[in-house]
Coordinates of all heavy atoms in Angstrom, one line a residue:
M1 N -65.4 97.8 -189.8 CA -64.2 96.9 -189.9 C -64.7 95.5 -189.9 O -65.5 95.1 -189.0 CB -63.3 97.2 -188.7 CG -62.1 96.4 -188.6 SD -60.7 97.3 -188.0 CE -59.4 96.3 -188.4
P2 N -64.2 94.6 -190.8 CA -64.6 93.2 -190.8 C -64.1 92.5 -189.6 O -63.1 92.7 -189.1 CB -64.0 92.7 -192.1 CG -63.1 93.7 -192.6 CD -63.2 95.0 -191.9
N3 N -65.0 91.5 -189.2 CA -64.7 90.6 -188.1 C -64.1 89.4 -188.7 O -64.7 88.6 -189.4 CB -65.9 90.3 -187.3 CG -65.6 89.5 -186.1 OD1 -64.5 89.3 -185.7 ND2 -66.6 88.9 -185.5
K4 N -62.8 89.1 -188.4 CA -62.1 87.9 -189.0 C -61.8 86.9 -187.9 O -61.5 87.2 -186.8 CB -60.8 88.4 -189.6 CG -60.9 89.2 -190.9 CD -59.6 89.7 -191.4 CE -58.9 88.6 -192.1 NZ -57.6 89.0 -192.7
T5 N -62.0 85.7 -188.3 CA -61.7 84.5 -187.5 C -60.8 83.6 -188.2 O -61.0 83.4 -189.4 CB -63.0 83.8 -187.1 OG1 -63.9 84.7 -186.4 CG2 -62.7 82.6 -186.1
R6 N -59.8 83.0 -187.6 CA -58.9 82.0 -188.2 C -59.1 80.7 -187.5 O -58.9 80.7 -186.3 CB -57.5 82.5 -188.2 CG -56.5 81.5 -188.8 CD -55.1 82.0 -188.8 NE -55.0 83.1 -189.6 CZ -54.4 83.1 -190.8 NH1 -53.9 82.0 -191.3 NH2 -54.3 84.2 -191.6
W7 N -59.4 79.7 -188.2 CA -59.4 78.3 -187.7 C -58.2 77.6 -188.4 O -58.0 77.7 -189.5 CB -60.7 77.6 -188.1 CG -61.9 78.1 -187.4 CD1 -62.0 79.0 -186.4 CD2 -63.2 77.7 -187.7 NE1 -63.3 79.2 -186.0 CE2 -64.1 78.4 -186.8 CE3 -63.8 76.8 -188.6 CZ2 -65.5 78.2 -186.8 CZ3 -65.2 76.7 -188.6 CH2 -66.0 77.4 -187.7
I8 N -57.6 76.7 -187.6 CA -56.6 75.9 -188.1 C -57.0 74.4 -187.9 O -57.4 74.0 -186.8 CB -55.2 76.2 -187.4 CG1 -54.8 77.6 -187.6 CG2 -54.2 75.2 -187.8 CD1 -53.6 78.1 -186.9
I9 N -56.9 73.7 -189.0 CA -57.3 72.3 -189.0 C -56.0 71.5 -189.0 O -55.1 71.7 -189.9 CB -58.2 71.9 -190.2 CG1 -59.5 72.7 -190.1 CG2 -58.4 70.4 -190.3 CD1 -60.3 72.6 -191.3
D10 N -55.8 70.6 -188.1 CA -54.7 69.6 -188.1 C -55.2 68.4 -188.9 O -56.3 67.9 -188.6 CB -54.3 69.2 -186.7 CG -53.7 70.3 -185.9 OD1 -52.9 71.1 -186.5 OD2 -54.1 70.5 -184.7
L11 N -54.4 68.0 -189.8 CA -54.7 66.8 -190.6 C -53.6 65.8 -190.5 O -52.5 66.0 -191.0 CB -54.9 67.2 -192.1 CG -55.4 66.1 -193.0 CD1 -56.7 65.5 -192.6 CD2 -55.5 66.7 -194.4
D12 N -53.8 64.7 -189.8 CA -52.8 63.6 -189.7 C -53.2 62.5 -190.6 O -54.3 62.0 -190.6 CB -52.8 63.1 -188.2 CG -52.3 64.2 -187.2 OD1 -51.4 64.9 -187.6 OD2 -53.0 64.3 -186.2
I13 N -52.1 62.0 -191.3 CA -52.3 60.9 -192.3 C -51.3 59.8 -192.0 O -50.2 60.1 -191.8 CB -52.2 61.4 -193.7 CG1 -53.1 62.5 -194.0 CG2 -52.3 60.3 -194.7 CD1 -52.9 63.2 -195.3
E14 N -51.9 58.6 -191.9 CA -51.0 57.5 -191.5 C -51.3 56.3 -192.5 O -52.4 55.9 -192.7 CB -51.3 57.0 -190.1 CG -50.6 55.8 -189.7 CD -51.0 55.3 -188.3 OE1 -52.1 55.6 -187.9 OE2 -50.2 54.5 -187.7
E15 N -50.2 55.8 -193.1 CA -50.3 54.7 -194.0 C -50.0 53.4 -193.2 O -49.0 53.3 -192.5 CB -49.4 54.8 -195.2 CG -49.6 53.7 -196.2 CD -48.7 53.8 -197.4 OE1 -48.0 54.9 -197.6 OE2 -48.8 53.0 -198.3
V16 N -50.9 52.4 -193.3 CA -50.7 51.1 -192.6 C -50.4 50.1 -193.7 O -51.4 49.6 -194.3 CB -51.9 50.8 -191.7 CG1 -51.6 49.5 -190.9 CG2 -52.3 51.9 -190.8
Q17 N -49.1 49.8 -193.9 CA -48.7 48.9 -195.0 C -49.4 47.6 -194.9 O -49.9 47.1 -195.9 CB -47.2 48.8 -195.0 CG -46.5 50.0 -195.5 CD -46.6 50.2 -197.0 OE1 -47.0 49.3 -197.8 NE2 -46.3 51.4 -197.5
E18 N -49.3 46.9 -193.8 CA -49.8 45.6 -193.7 C -51.3 45.4 -193.9 O -51.8 44.4 -194.3 CB -49.4 44.9 -192.3 CG -49.9 45.6 -191.1 CD -49.0 46.8 -190.6 OE1 -48.0 47.1 -191.3 OE2 -49.3 47.4 -189.6
E19 N -52.0 46.5 -193.7 CA -53.5 46.5 -193.9 C -53.8 47.1 -195.3 O -55.0 47.1 -195.7 CB -54.2 47.3 -192.8 CG -54.1 46.7 -191.5 CD -54.8 47.5 -190.4 OE1 -55.7 48.3 -190.7 OE2 -54.4 47.4 -189.2
R20 N -52.8 47.6 -196.0 CA -53.0 48.2 -197.3 C -54.1 49.4 -197.2 O -55.0 49.4 -198.1 CB -53.4 47.2 -198.3 CG -52.4 46.1 -198.5 CD -52.8 45.0 -199.5 NE -52.9 45.5 -200.8 CZ -52.0 45.6 -201.7 NH1 -50.8 45.2 -201.4 NH2 -52.2 46.1 -202.9
C21 N -54.0 50.2 -196.2 CA -54.9 51.3 -196.1 C -54.2 52.5 -195.5 O -53.1 52.5 -195.0 CB -56.1 50.9 -195.2 SG -55.7 50.9 -193.4
T22 N -54.9 53.6 -195.7 CA -54.4 54.9 -195.2 C -55.6 55.5 -194.4 O -56.7 55.4 -194.7 CB -54.1 55.9 -196.4 OG1 -53.1 55.3 -197.2 CG2 -53.6 57.2 -195.9
R23 N -55.2 56.0 -193.2 CA -56.2 56.6 -192.3 C -55.8 58.1 -192.1 O -54.6 58.5 -192.0 CB -56.1 55.9 -190.9 CG -56.6 54.5 -191.0 CD -56.6 53.9 -189.6 NE -57.1 52.5 -189.6 CZ -56.3 51.5 -189.4 NH1 -55.0 51.7 -189.0 NH2 -56.7 50.3 -189.5
A24 N -56.8 58.9 -192.1 CA -56.6 60.4 -191.8 C -57.6 60.8 -190.7 O -58.7 60.4 -190.6 CB -56.9 61.1 -193.1
V25 N -57.1 61.8 -190.0 CA -57.9 62.4 -188.9 C -57.7 63.9 -189.1 O -56.6 64.5 -189.1 CB -57.4 62.0 -187.5 CG1 -58.2 62.7 -186.4 CG2 -57.5 60.5 -187.3
A26 N -58.9 64.6 -189.2 CA -58.9 66.1 -189.4 C -59.5 66.6 -188.1 O -60.6 66.3 -187.7 CB -59.8 66.5 -190.5
R27 N -58.7 67.5 -187.4 CA -59.2 68.1 -186.1 C -59.3 69.6 -186.2 O -58.3 70.2 -186.6 CB -58.2 67.7 -185.0 CG -58.2 66.3 -184.6 CD -57.2 66.1 -183.4 NE -56.9 64.6 -183.3 CZ -56.0 64.0 -184.0 NH1 -55.3 64.6 -184.9 NH2 -55.9 62.7 -183.9
L28 N -60.4 70.1 -185.7 CA -60.6 71.5 -185.7 C -60.8 71.9 -184.2 O -61.7 71.4 -183.5 CB -61.8 72.0 -186.5 CG -62.3 73.4 -186.3 CD1 -61.2 74.4 -186.8 CD2 -63.6 73.6 -187.0
R29 N -59.9 72.8 -183.7 CA -60.1 73.3 -182.3 C -60.5 74.7 -182.4 O -59.8 75.5 -183.1 CB -58.8 73.1 -181.6 CG -58.4 71.7 -181.3 CD -57.1 71.5 -180.6 NE -56.7 70.1 -180.4 CZ -56.1 69.4 -181.3 NH1 -55.7 69.9 -182.4 NH2 -55.8 68.1 -181.1
R30 N -61.6 75.1 -181.7 CA -62.0 76.5 -181.7 C -62.8 76.7 -180.4 O -63.5 75.9 -179.9 CB -62.9 76.7 -182.9 CG -64.2 75.9 -182.9 CD -65.0 75.9 -184.1 NE -66.0 74.9 -184.0 CZ -67.3 75.1 -184.0 NH1 -67.8 76.3 -184.2 NH2 -68.1 74.1 -183.9
D31 N -62.7 77.9 -179.9 CA -63.5 78.3 -178.8 C -63.5 77.3 -177.6 O -64.5 77.1 -177.0 CB -64.9 78.6 -179.2 CG -65.0 79.7 -180.3 OD1 -64.2 80.5 -180.4 OD2 -66.0 79.6 -181.1
G32 N -62.4 76.6 -177.4 CA -62.3 75.7 -176.3 C -63.0 74.3 -176.6 O -63.1 73.5 -175.8
T33 N -63.4 74.2 -177.9 CA -64.1 72.9 -178.3 C -63.3 72.3 -179.4 O -62.4 72.9 -180.0 CB -65.5 73.1 -178.7 OG1 -65.5 73.9 -179.9 CG2 -66.4 73.7 -177.6
S34 N -63.6 71.0 -179.7 CA -62.8 70.3 -180.7 C -63.8 69.5 -181.5 O -64.7 68.9 -181.0 CB -61.7 69.5 -180.1 OG -61.0 68.8 -181.1
L35 N -63.6 69.4 -182.8 CA -64.4 68.5 -183.7 C -63.4 67.7 -184.5 O -62.3 68.2 -184.8 CB -65.2 69.3 -184.7 CG -66.4 70.1 -184.1 CD1 -67.1 70.9 -185.2 CD2 -67.4 69.2 -183.5
E36 N -63.7 66.4 -184.7 CA -62.8 65.5 -185.4 C -63.5 64.7 -186.4 O -64.5 64.0 -186.1 CB -62.1 64.6 -184.3 CG -61.1 63.7 -184.8 CD -60.4 62.9 -183.7 OE1 -59.7 63.5 -182.9 OE2 -60.7 61.7 -183.6
G37 N -63.0 64.7 -187.6 CA -63.5 63.8 -188.7 C -62.4 62.8 -189.1 O -61.2 63.1 -189.0
T38 N -62.9 61.6 -189.4 CA -61.9 60.6 -189.8 C -62.2 60.1 -191.2 O -63.4 60.2 -191.7 CB -62.0 59.4 -188.9 OG1 -63.3 58.8 -188.8 CG2 -61.6 59.8 -187.5
G39 N -61.2 59.5 -191.9 CA -61.4 59.0 -193.2 C -60.4 57.9 -193.5 O -59.3 57.9 -192.9
T40 N -60.8 56.9 -194.3 CA -59.8 55.8 -194.7 C -59.9 55.6 -196.2 O -60.9 55.9 -196.8 CB -60.2 54.5 -193.9 OG1 -61.5 54.1 -194.3 CG2 -60.0 54.6 -192.4
A41 N -58.8 55.0 -196.7 CA -58.8 54.6 -198.1 C -58.1 53.3 -198.1 O -57.0 53.1 -197.4 CB -58.0 55.6 -198.9
H42 N -58.7 52.3 -198.8 CA -58.1 50.9 -198.9 C -57.6 50.7 -200.3 O -58.3 51.1 -201.2 CB -59.1 49.9 -198.5 CG -59.6 50.0 -197.1 ND1 -58.9 49.4 -196.0 CD2 -60.6 50.7 -196.5 CE1 -59.6 49.7 -194.9 NE2 -60.6 50.5 -195.2
R43 N -56.4 50.1 -200.4 CA -55.8 49.8 -201.7 C -56.1 48.3 -202.0 O -55.8 47.4 -201.3 CB -54.3 50.1 -201.6 CG -53.7 49.9 -203.0 CD -52.3 50.5 -203.1 NE -51.5 50.2 -201.9 CZ -50.5 49.2 -201.9 NH1 -50.4 48.4 -202.9 NH2 -49.8 49.0 -200.8
H44 N -56.7 48.2 -203.2 CA -57.0 46.8 -203.7 C -55.6 46.2 -204.1 O -54.7 46.9 -204.6 CB -57.9 46.9 -204.9 CG -58.4 45.6 -205.4 ND1 -57.6 44.8 -206.3 CD2 -59.5 44.9 -205.2 CE1 -58.3 43.7 -206.5 NE2 -59.5 43.8 -205.9
P45 N -55.5 44.9 -203.9 CA -54.2 44.2 -204.3 C -53.7 44.5 -205.7 O -52.5 44.5 -206.0 CB -54.5 42.7 -204.1 CG -55.6 42.7 -203.1 CD -56.4 43.9 -203.3
R46 N -54.6 44.7 -206.6 CA -54.2 45.0 -208.0 C -53.9 46.4 -208.3 O -53.5 46.8 -209.4 CB -55.3 44.5 -209.0 CG -55.4 43.0 -209.0 CD -56.4 42.5 -210.1 NE -57.7 43.2 -210.0 CZ -58.8 42.6 -209.8 NH1 -58.9 41.3 -209.8 NH2 -60.0 43.2 -209.8
D47 N -54.2 47.3 -207.3 CA -54.0 48.8 -207.5 C -52.5 49.1 -207.5 O -51.7 48.3 -206.8 CB -54.6 49.6 -206.4 CG -56.2 49.6 -206.6 OD1 -56.6 49.2 -207.7 OD2 -56.8 50.0 -205.7
L48 N -52.1 50.1 -208.2 CA -50.7 50.6 -208.1 C -50.4 51.1 -206.7 O -51.3 51.6 -206.0 CB -50.5 51.7 -209.1 CG -50.6 51.3 -210.6 CD1 -50.5 52.6 -211.4 CD2 -49.5 50.4 -211.0
D49 N -49.1 51.0 -206.3 CA -48.7 51.5 -205.0 C -48.4 53.0 -205.0 O -47.3 53.4 -205.1 CB -47.5 50.7 -204.5 CG -47.1 51.0 -203.1 OD1 -47.9 51.7 -202.4 OD2 -46.1 50.5 -202.6
L50 N -49.5 53.7 -205.0 CA -49.4 55.2 -205.1 C -49.9 55.8 -203.8 O -51.1 56.0 -203.6 CB -50.2 55.7 -206.3 CG -49.8 55.2 -207.7 CD1 -50.7 55.7 -208.7 CD2 -48.4 55.7 -208.0
A51 N -49.0 56.0 -202.9 CA -49.4 56.5 -201.5 C -50.1 57.8 -201.6 O -51.1 58.0 -200.8 CB -48.1 56.7 -200.7
R52 N -49.8 58.7 -202.5 CA -50.5 60.0 -202.6 C -52.0 59.8 -202.8 O -52.8 60.6 -202.3 CB -49.9 60.9 -203.7 CG -50.6 62.2 -203.7 CD -50.0 63.2 -204.6 NE -50.9 64.3 -204.7 CZ -50.8 65.2 -205.6 NH1 -49.8 65.2 -206.5 NH2 -51.6 66.2 -205.6
V53 N -52.4 58.8 -203.6 CA -53.8 58.6 -203.9 C -54.5 58.3 -202.6 O -55.6 58.8 -202.3 CB -54.0 57.6 -205.0 CG1 -55.5 57.2 -205.2 CG2 -53.4 58.1 -206.3
G54 N -54.0 57.3 -201.9 CA -54.6 57.0 -200.6 C -54.6 58.1 -199.6 O -55.6 58.3 -198.9
D55 N -53.5 58.9 -199.6 CA -53.5 60.1 -198.7 C -54.6 61.1 -199.1 O -55.4 61.6 -198.2 CB -52.2 60.9 -198.8 CG -51.0 60.1 -198.2 OD1 -51.2 59.0 -197.6 OD2 -49.9 60.6 -198.4
D56 N -54.8 61.3 -200.4 CA -55.8 62.3 -200.9 C -57.2 61.8 -200.5 O -58.0 62.6 -200.1 CB -55.7 62.5 -202.4 CG -54.5 63.3 -202.8 OD1 -53.7 63.8 -202.0 OD2 -54.2 63.4 -204.1
L57 N -57.4 60.5 -200.8 CA -58.8 60.0 -200.5 C -59.1 60.0 -199.0 O -60.2 60.4 -198.6 CB -58.9 58.6 -201.1 CG -59.0 58.4 -202.6 CD1 -58.9 57.0 -203.0 CD2 -60.3 59.1 -203.1
A58 N -58.2 59.5 -198.2 CA -58.4 59.5 -196.8 C -58.6 60.9 -196.2 O -59.5 61.1 -195.4 CB -57.3 58.7 -196.1
A59 N -57.8 61.8 -196.7 CA -57.9 63.2 -196.2 C -59.2 63.8 -196.6 O -59.9 64.5 -195.8 CB -56.7 64.0 -196.7
A60 N -59.6 63.6 -197.9 CA -60.9 64.2 -198.3 C -62.0 63.6 -197.5 O -62.9 64.4 -197.2 CB -61.0 63.8 -199.8
R61 N -62.0 62.3 -197.2 CA -63.1 61.7 -196.5 C -63.1 62.3 -195.0 O -64.2 62.5 -194.5 CB -62.9 60.2 -196.5 CG -63.2 59.7 -197.9 CD -62.9 58.2 -198.1 NE -63.2 57.8 -199.4 CZ -62.7 56.7 -200.0 NH1 -61.8 56.0 -199.4 NH2 -63.0 56.4 -201.3
A62 N -62.0 62.5 -194.4 CA -61.9 63.1 -193.1 C -62.5 64.5 -193.1 O -63.2 64.9 -192.2 CB -60.5 63.0 -192.6
L63 N -62.1 65.3 -194.1 CA -62.6 66.7 -194.2 C -64.1 66.7 -194.5 O -64.8 67.6 -194.0 CB -61.8 67.4 -195.3 CG -60.3 67.7 -194.9 CD1 -59.6 68.2 -196.1 CD2 -60.3 68.7 -193.8
V64 N -64.6 65.8 -195.3 CA -66.1 65.7 -195.5 C -66.8 65.4 -194.2 O -67.8 66.1 -193.9 CB -66.4 64.7 -196.6 CG1 -67.9 64.4 -196.6 CG2 -66.0 65.2 -198.0
E65 N -66.3 64.5 -193.4 CA -66.9 64.2 -192.1 C -66.8 65.4 -191.2 O -67.8 65.7 -190.5 CB -66.2 63.0 -191.5 CG -66.9 62.6 -190.2 CD -66.4 61.3 -189.6 OE1 -66.3 60.3 -190.3 OE2 -66.0 61.4 -188.4
L66 N -65.7 66.1 -191.2 CA -65.6 67.3 -190.4 C -66.6 68.4 -190.8 O -67.2 69.0 -190.0 CB -64.1 67.8 -190.5 CG -63.8 69.1 -189.6 CD1 -64.1 68.8 -188.1 CD2 -62.4 69.5 -189.9
A67 N -66.7 68.5 -192.1 CA -67.7 69.5 -192.6 C -69.1 69.1 -192.2 O -69.9 70.0 -191.8 CB -67.7 69.6 -194.2
S68 N -69.5 67.9 -192.2 CA -70.8 67.4 -191.7 C -71.0 67.7 -190.3 O -72.1 68.2 -189.8 CB -70.9 65.9 -192.0 OG -72.2 65.5 -191.5
L69 N -69.9 67.5 -189.5 CA -70.0 67.8 -188.0 C -70.2 69.3 -187.8 O -71.0 69.7 -186.9 CB -68.8 67.3 -187.3 CG -68.6 65.8 -187.3 CD1 -67.2 65.4 -186.8 CD2 -69.7 65.2 -186.4
L70 N -69.6 70.1 -188.6 CA -69.8 71.6 -188.5 C -71.2 72.0 -188.8 O -71.8 72.8 -188.1 CB -68.8 72.3 -189.4 CG -67.4 72.4 -188.9 CD1 -66.4 72.9 -190.0 CD2 -67.3 73.4 -187.7
Q71 N -71.8 71.4 -189.8 CA -73.2 71.7 -190.2 C -74.1 71.3 -189.1 O -75.0 72.0 -188.7 CB -73.5 71.0 -191.5 CG -72.9 71.6 -192.7 CD -73.4 71.0 -194.0 OE1 -73.5 69.7 -194.1 NE2 -73.7 71.7 -195.0
T72 N -73.9 70.1 -188.5 CA -74.7 69.6 -187.4 C -74.6 70.5 -186.2 O -75.6 70.9 -185.6 CB -74.3 68.2 -187.0 OG1 -74.5 67.3 -188.2 CG2 -75.1 67.7 -185.8
D73 N -73.4 71.0 -185.9 CA -73.1 71.9 -184.8 C -73.9 73.2 -185.0 O -74.6 73.7 -184.1 CB -71.6 72.1 -184.6 CG -71.3 72.9 -183.4 OD1 -71.7 72.5 -182.3 OD2 -70.7 74.0 -183.5
A74 N -73.8 73.7 -186.2 CA -74.5 75.0 -186.5 C -76.0 74.8 -186.4 O -76.7 75.7 -185.8 CB -74.1 75.5 -187.9
A75 N -76.5 73.7 -186.9 CA -78.0 73.5 -186.8 C -78.4 73.3 -185.3 O -79.5 73.9 -185.0 CB -78.3 72.2 -187.5
Q76 N -77.6 72.7 -184.5 CA -78.0 72.6 -183.1 C -78.0 73.9 -182.4 O -78.9 74.2 -181.5 CB -77.0 71.6 -182.4 CG -77.2 70.2 -182.8 CD -76.1 69.2 -182.3 OE1 -75.1 69.7 -181.8 NE2 -76.4 67.9 -182.4
V77 N -77.1 74.8 -182.7 CA -77.0 76.1 -182.1 C -78.3 76.9 -182.5 O -78.9 77.6 -181.7 CB -75.7 76.9 -182.5 CG1 -75.8 78.3 -182.1 CG2 -74.5 76.2 -181.8
L78 N -78.6 76.8 -183.8 CA -79.8 77.5 -184.3 C -81.1 77.0 -183.6 O -81.9 77.8 -183.2 CB -79.9 77.4 -185.8 CG -78.9 78.2 -186.7 CD1 -79.0 77.8 -188.1 CD2 -79.1 79.7 -186.5
E79 N -81.2 75.7 -183.5 CA -82.4 75.2 -182.8 C -82.4 75.6 -181.4 O -83.5 75.9 -180.9 CB -82.3 73.6 -182.9 CG -82.7 73.1 -184.3 CD -82.6 71.6 -184.4 OE1 -82.3 70.9 -183.4 OE2 -82.8 71.1 -185.5
K80 N -81.3 75.7 -180.7 CA -81.2 76.1 -179.3 C -81.8 77.5 -179.2 O -82.5 77.8 -178.2 CB -79.8 76.1 -178.9 CG -79.6 76.5 -177.4 CD -78.1 76.4 -177.1 CE -77.8 77.0 -175.7 NZ -76.4 76.9 -175.4
F81 N -81.7 78.4 -180.2 CA -82.2 79.7 -180.1 C -83.5 79.9 -180.8 O -84.0 81.0 -181.1 CB -81.1 80.7 -180.6 CG -80.0 80.9 -179.7 CD1 -78.8 80.1 -179.9 CD2 -80.0 81.7 -178.6 CE1 -77.7 80.3 -179.1 CE2 -78.9 81.8 -177.7 CZ -77.8 81.1 -178.0
G82 N -84.1 78.8 -181.2 CA -85.5 78.8 -181.8 C -85.5 79.1 -183.3 O -86.6 79.3 -183.8
A83 N -84.4 79.1 -183.9 CA -84.3 79.3 -185.4 C -84.4 78.0 -186.1 O -84.1 77.0 -185.6 CB -83.1 80.1 -185.7
T84 N -84.9 78.1 -187.3 CA -85.0 76.9 -188.2 C -83.6 76.7 -188.8 O -83.1 77.6 -189.5 CB -86.0 77.1 -189.3 OG1 -87.3 77.4 -188.6 CG2 -86.2 75.8 -190.1
P85 N -83.0 75.5 -188.6 CA -81.7 75.3 -189.2 C -81.9 75.1 -190.7 O -82.9 74.6 -191.2 CB -81.2 74.0 -188.6 CG -82.5 73.3 -188.1 CD -83.5 74.4 -187.8
P86 N -80.8 75.4 -191.5 CA -80.9 75.2 -192.9 C -80.9 73.7 -193.2 O -80.4 72.9 -192.4 CB -79.6 75.9 -193.4 CG -78.7 75.9 -192.2 CD -79.5 75.9 -191.0
P87 N -81.4 73.3 -194.4 CA -81.4 71.9 -194.7 C -79.9 71.5 -195.0 O -79.1 72.3 -195.4 CB -82.2 71.8 -196.0 CG -82.2 73.2 -196.6 CD -82.0 74.1 -195.4
P88 N -79.6 70.2 -194.7 CA -78.3 69.7 -195.0 C -78.0 69.7 -196.5 O -78.9 69.6 -197.3 CB -78.3 68.3 -194.5 CG -79.7 67.9 -194.3 CD -80.5 69.2 -194.2
T89 N -76.7 70.0 -196.8 CA -76.3 70.0 -198.2 C -75.9 68.6 -198.6 O -75.5 67.8 -197.8 CB -75.1 70.9 -198.4 OG1 -74.0 70.5 -197.6 CG2 -75.5 72.3 -198.1
A90 N -76.0 68.3 -199.9 CA -75.7 67.0 -200.4 C -74.2 66.7 -200.5 O -73.4 67.6 -200.6 CB -76.4 66.7 -201.7

C-alpha cells in the first residue's frame, strides 16, 4: 500500500499600491515545523496596471524560494545521517 503525505502551502499575496509592488509569502507547515519563502514584484511606472502579473511574479518567486529551502532542508538531513546530499538544481 502506498504511503501518502499531503502538504498544504498557504500563499498570501498583498499589493502595496503606493510602493507599486506586490509581495507574496508561501508557508509550508509540516511535522511541527514551518518553512517560509517570500517574493516581490515591482511595477515600473510605464507598465500597465495589471495586478495579476504582479501576483503571478511575486507568488512564483516565493515558491522558488520555498523550493530552495526544502532542498536545503533535505540536504541537511542527509548530511546528518552521513549520506551525500544531491547537488542543487538550477
Side-chain angles (χ1 to χ4, degrees):
M1 176 145 195
N3 184 13
K4 291 175 77 174
T5 303
R6 177 178 294 254
W7 290 352
I8 297 175
I9 297 170
D10 292 315
L11 183 58
D12 295 316
I13 301 170
E14 175 185 22
E15 185 176 357
V16 184
Q17 286 287 343
E18 59 275 3
E19 295 179 23
R20 302 176 64 87
C21 78
T22 302
R23 294 186 182 108
V25 179
R27 288 180 197 86
L28 170 64
R29 292 177 183 88
R30 63 187 170 122
D31 304 328
T33 64
S34 179
L35 293 174
E36 182 176 292
T38 59
T40 59
H42 296 274
R43 185 165 45 96
H44 189 277
R46 292 188 306 238
D47 289 347
L48 296 172
D49 188 6
L50 300 172
R52 180 174 173 193
V53 173
D55 291 356
D56 289 353
L57 288 171
R61 291 169 180 159
L63 291 167
V64 165
E65 184 175 305
L66 181 60
S68 177
L69 292 170
L70 282 167
Q71 286 182 318
T72 299
D73 185 59
Q76 289 172 347
V77 170
L78 288 171
E79 286 178 3
K80 179 179 173 181
F81 289 98
T84 303
T89 59

